[in-house]
Amino acid sequence: MRLSALVTVALAAVALTSPLQKRAKAQVVTKCTVPNTAALTFDDGPFVYLYDVSKALVAAGAKGTFFFNGDNYGGCIYNEDQAKRVKYAYDKGHQIASHTWSHAHLNNLTWDQLHHEFWLVEQAFQKIAGVTPAFMRPPYGEYNDLVLEVAGNRGQTVAIWDFDSRDSAGATAAQSNKLYDDLAKAHPSTILALNHDVYQQTAQVVVPHAIATLQKAGYKLVTLAECLGRPAYQSVGAPAVRDDSWKC
Ligand SMILES: *[C@@H]1O[C@H](CO)[C@@H](O)[C@H](O)[C@H]1NC(C)=O
C-alpha cells in the first residue's frame, strides 16, 4: 500500500473512533405508531414488585416494558434476586430495556461517562438474559445532543412517553387511576405510558386498573417495540453462566 493510502486509512480509523466527530443521533420516540396499541412501561427496577406487575399483565394477555437500572432501588442487578427478576421479565415475554446503570442526570456526563452508563447495563443484559437492548430511557427523561450521539453510537433508540401516571411525582393510587380513566376517555390513537414498578401501589392497584381500563377502551397492551413495529433487541442469544464477573 502506498503511504498516502495508509495515511487515508489511518485518518478514517481516527475519524471513526473520535468523540469529536459528528455522529448520527439516536431517534427519540415519544409515541407508539401502531394504531390502537398501548405500551405500559416501568422504570427504575428491577425490584420486588415486578412480579405483581408481570402477573397482572400476563393474566390479561398483555405485555409490558421494563426499563431497568444496573444499581438503583433493588441494588446490584447481578445479585441473585435481581438477576432472577430480569430473567423472569424477559422469559415472560415482556421487553427489557435500559434505564442506564446508576440513574444519573445524563446531561451532566461526559462522552466516556455516558458510554459507561450505557455499556454496563447492556453487558448485564447480555450476561443475564442473552440480549442487547435496542431501547433506552434516560433518567428523568433528560437528554442533550451528547446523550443522543452516544445512544445513536450504541444503536439505542431513546424512549420517552406521552402519558405519565405521576406515581413518581407522589400521586396517590386513586389519582393515578383517575389519570388512566381520563386517558381512556380522551382515547388517543396510541398510548406510551410511564409508570414505576418500585412502588407497591403502582404494581398492586394502578397497574390492574390501567390494564382493565385500557383493554375495555379497546387498546391492545403490547411492548414498546411492538407498538412501534420494531425489534426490541439488537441481538438475541443465550445467557451466560454466573461467574465472578457478575458483580457491581
Ligand atoms: C445535574 O443536572 C441536573 C439537571 O439536569 C441538576 O439538577 C443536578 O443538580 C446536576 N448535578 C448533579 C451532580 O447531578
Side-chain angles (χ1 to χ4, degrees):
M1 207 185 284
R2 283 189 308 122
L3 185 62
S4 63
L6 269 176
V7 168
T8 306
V9 168
L11 281 175
V14 168
L16 274 175
T17 53
S18 167
L20 298 174
Q21 190 213 358
K22 262 221 171 302
R23 293 170 191 277
K25 284 182 198 155
Q27 187 197 354
V28 179
V29 299
T30 56
K31 287 188 175 306
C32 296
T33 55
V34 178
N36 251 27
T37 59
L40 294 179
T41 68
F42 302 91
D43 290 8
D44 295 358
F47 200 57
V48 60
Y49 303 122
L50 177 147
Y51 296 112
D52 294 316
V53 171
S54 176
K55 280 172 190 162
L57 288 166
V58 169
K63 284 177 200 164
T65 302
F66 293 90
F67 288 93
F68 289 138
N69 288 121
D71 200 353
N72 195 9
Y73 283 80
C76 176
I77 196 168
Y78 288 114
N79 291 347
E80 296 271 0
D81 54 353
Q82 287 287 80
K84 210 171 124 190
R85 288 166 191 150
V86 172
K87 187 72 171 33
Y88 181 93
Y90 177 70
D91 288 346
K92 289 293 174 186
H94 306 301
Q95 180 179 349
I96 62 173
S98 172
H99 198 34
T100 73
W101 186 256
S102 69
H103 206 279
H105 287 281
L106 298 188
N107 289 354
N108 298 339
L109 303 190
T110 65
W111 173 265
D112 287 347
Q113 289 170 327
L114 286 168
H115 273 286
H116 196 65
E117 282 283 332
F118 280 61
W119 160 240
L120 289 180
V121 174
E122 291 159 23
Q123 185 182 43
F125 280 19
Q126 287 165 2
K127 287 182 181 184
I128 296 167
V131 298
T132 308
F135 290 85
M136 69 83 58
R137 174 171 288 156
Y140 315 100
E142 294 174 359
Y143 59 88
N144 58 18
D145 283 352
L146 192 60
V147 171
L148 295 187
E149 284 167 24
V150 171
N153 191 239
R154 306 197 67 85
Q156 304 282 331
T157 293
V158 173
I160 309 296
W161 56 85
D162 61 12
F163 169 83
D164 184 353
S165 69
R166 301 202 52 80
D167 54 352
S168 69
T172 63
Q175 286 167 338
S176 289
N177 284 354
K178 170 80 165 51
L179 289 172
Y180 273 107
D181 293 343
D182 294 345
L183 177 67
K185 260 182 226 138
H187 209 93
S189 167
T190 63
I191 295 167
L192 207 181
L194 172 69
N195 307 270
H196 298 75
D197 57 317
V198 295
Y199 303 116
Q200 187 173 11
Q201 65 174 30
T202 294
Q204 296 176 358
V205 183
V206 179
V207 168
H209 180 83
I211 293 170
T213 304
L214 297 181
Q215 285 188 333
K216 194 163 159 238
Y219 291 98
K220 187 161 188 245
L221 298 183
V222 297
T223 65
L224 174 62
E226 288 168 337
C227 88
L228 292 165
R230 306 237 303 260
Y233 306 107
Q234 301 188 58
S235 70
V236 178
V241 176
R242 176 178 285 278
D243 63 21
D244 290 347
S245 72
W246 290 41
K247 57 172 191 257
C248 293

